[in-house]
Amino acid sequence: MIEVFLPPPFVVEVFNANEAVRISLAIFTSVVLVFIDTMLRVLVEARNFNLATNREVTIKNTFLAIVWRGWSKVDVNGKQRRFLVSGKLREDMTKKLVKSYPWLFLLSFILLTLPDVEVPMLGRVDIFLCTLMYLIPIFIEIASCVENMIELEFVETRWFKRAIKLVKQTIDFIKSVKDAIK
């Protein structure tokens, strides 16, 4: 037989379970976006390595740069430079995963304990501030992914333009349904 123990009453009164689930989903989403951003950043560094060593940017050269070539030091304008092992890449990852994001998520959980104060335009202040805190890392990662895609010149590709067109069509469809309901 499985026994289920309920948390103490003061925890149930102070803590909003729905928001805790949303924060957990935001943490998962942020981790996935950090992974995607890291992969895009590695592709950017492999591309930069190929350009610095006067190699053509092809799938083969990019793969070789990621697996083997891109980890070495290269002379760029008389200076030794590393691409895939760059300090900036490591510092950014450490800053995101150790310094910034965990504190924002912890602050989100702490903000849930604020008193329930209703503001006419915002709703409950504690939930509004909590939501704001856990959405910050997601927006930062999306912006970083877009920045890496621009650097990789994915924005000019045919599939990216089709994806943007599809998003615009979806928004127009939602607006038309909304107007039809009115």
Side-chain angles (χ1 to χ4, degrees):
M1 183 167 127
I2 298 174
E3 293 186 44
V4 177
F5 296 100
L6 294 175
F10 67 89
V11 172
V12 174
E13 293 174 9
V14 171
F15 204 67
N16 188 342
N18 291 334
E19 284 303 312
V21 169
R22 289 186 181 130
I23 294 170
S24 301
L25 288 173
I27 291 170
F28 176 75
T29 305
S30 296
V31 169
V32 169
L33 285 172
V34 165
F35 178 75
I36 292 169
D37 181 44
T38 302
M39 291 299 112
L40 287 171
R41 190 73 222 159
V42 166
L43 287 173
V44 166
E45 293 298 331
R47 177 183 171 272
N48 291 343
F49 172 81
N50 286 330
L51 292 175
T53 56
N54 297 321
R55 289 187 172 93
E56 191 177 343
V57 181
T58 62
I59 293 173
K60 176 187 168 192
N61 285 338
T62 302
F63 177 75
L64 288 173
I66 291 171
V67 173
W68 185 257
R69 296 178 188 157
W71 300 89
S72 64
K73 291 182 181 179
V74 177
D75 271 339
V76 178
N77 298 328
K79 286 185 172 182
Q80 291 285 326
R81 182 158 179 230
R82 298 185 88 169
F83 289 92
L84 290 175
V85 195
S86 69
K88 183 180 182 307
L89 184 63
R90 287 177 287 160
E91 287 173 15
D92 288 346
M93 291 302 298
T94 304
K95 186 175 72 172
K96 288 178 184 179
L97 294 176
V98 177
K99 295 179 182 176
S100 303
Y101 296 172
W103 289 108
L104 286 170
F105 293 126
L106 181 64
L107 185 59
S108 294
F109 278 113
I110 292 171
L111 286 172
L112 285 178
T113 62
L114 289 176
D116 299 339
V117 177
E118 288 278 334
V119 175
M121 296 299 283
L122 301 177
R124 285 184 38 199
V125 174
D126 59 337
I127 292 178
F128 173 75
L129 292 174
C130 172
T131 305
L132 185 68
M133 285 299 129
Y134 71 70
L135 287 179
I136 289 172
I138 293 173
F139 287 130
I140 290 172
E141 284 305 310
I142 289 173
S144 181
C145 288
V146 169
E147 178 183 309
N148 287 332
M149 290 174 71
I150 289 170
E151 194 169 342
L152 283 170
E153 298 172 356
F154 279 165
V155 178
E156 285 102 28
T157 60
R158 191 176 341 140
W159 68 269
F160 189 82
K161 289 178 182 177
R162 279 192 270 173
I164 295 297
K165 184 178 176 182
L166 179 66
V167 169
K168 288 179 181 178
Q169 288 174 346
T170 305
I171 291 171
D172 291 340
F173 175 73
I174 292 171
K175 285 181 182 178
S176 67
V177 168
K178 189 176 175 183
D179 291 338
I181 292 173
K182 288 181 183 179

